[in-house]
Amino acid sequence: MAVIKTNSEDVRTLARLMRAEAEGEGEMGMLMVGNVGVNRILSNCLDFRGIRLMNDMVFQSPGGFEATQKGYFYQRARDRDIRLAQRVINGEKLHPASNALWFFRPAGNCPGTWYDQTNTGRFKAHCFFSPSVQDCPNVY
């Protein structure tokens, strides 16, 4: 059962985002990017107040995703990517992105915090950061 309201176009949009942001990090990395996206829609806190729709989350500016500024994002979603997107829409969560609202790829080690958010871990090249339960209870 879905944890956010979506239609088939939303699933394809999330699939394209996951691929464009993390294809080089395999299915696990792509699923983690999807976790962050779904969490942003669920959260209604901090930088993501009022973000309730897939397009609002994907194209949020400022604070959105770099991939939307590159042509690769605009290619058709593949079946494999759509299946991965549906998994996170259905509530599958992977650590360290389980409750994360942010991720980025640092040149070196992951900082302990990023914009006052706690580092929850690294997967391959990306570091993930989660808000506190007090700030964003909807992602927990």
Side-chain angles (χ1 to χ4, degrees):
M1 174 155 221
V3 296
I4 58 172
K5 185 177 178 178
T6 60
N7 59 38
S8 59
E9 185 57 35
D10 293 333
V11 176
R12 288 191 298 273
T13 300
L14 182 59
R16 292 181 5 238
L17 178 70
M18 291 165 57
R19 181 189 67 217
E21 287 283 349
E23 182 176 43
E25 301 202 357
E27 288 189 3
M28 295 280 288
M30 290 170 62
L31 287 166
M32 289 181 199
V33 167
N35 284 162
V36 169
V38 168
N39 287 342
R40 287 180 178 190
I41 292 171
L42 288 171
S43 69
N44 200 29
C45 65
L46 303 172
D47 296 338
F48 310 104
R49 288 195 191 285
I51 302 293
R52 306 273 69 65
L53 303 174
M54 187 66 66
N55 278 351
D56 293 342
M57 180 273 294
V58 171
F59 297 102
Q60 182 182 7
S61 181
F65 295 93
E66 281 184 31
T68 62
Q69 300 167 15
K70 301 191 165 90
Y72 192 56
F73 170 78
Y74 294 94
Q75 293 179 9
R76 185 181 66 80
R78 300 176 298 203
D79 290 342
R80 175 186 80 131
D81 306 329
I82 292 168
R83 284 191 299 275
L84 293 175
Q86 192 63 61
R87 286 170 58 183
V88 296
I89 289 167
N90 287 345
E92 185 174 337
K93 292 187 171 209
L94 299 170
H95 181 77
S98 304
N99 310 106
L101 292 176
W102 300 270
F103 65 89
F104 82 103
R105 182 181 184 153
N109 293 329
C110 296
T113 60
W114 191 52
Y115 294 101
D116 296 323
Q117 306 308 309
T118 303
N119 176 352
T120 55
R122 181 180 202 130
F123 181 77
K124 295 188 179 182
H126 286 91
C127 304
F128 292 84
F129 298 85
S130 295
S132 69
V133 174
Q134 293 79 17
D135 285 339
C136 297
N138 292 344
V139 298
Y140 288 88

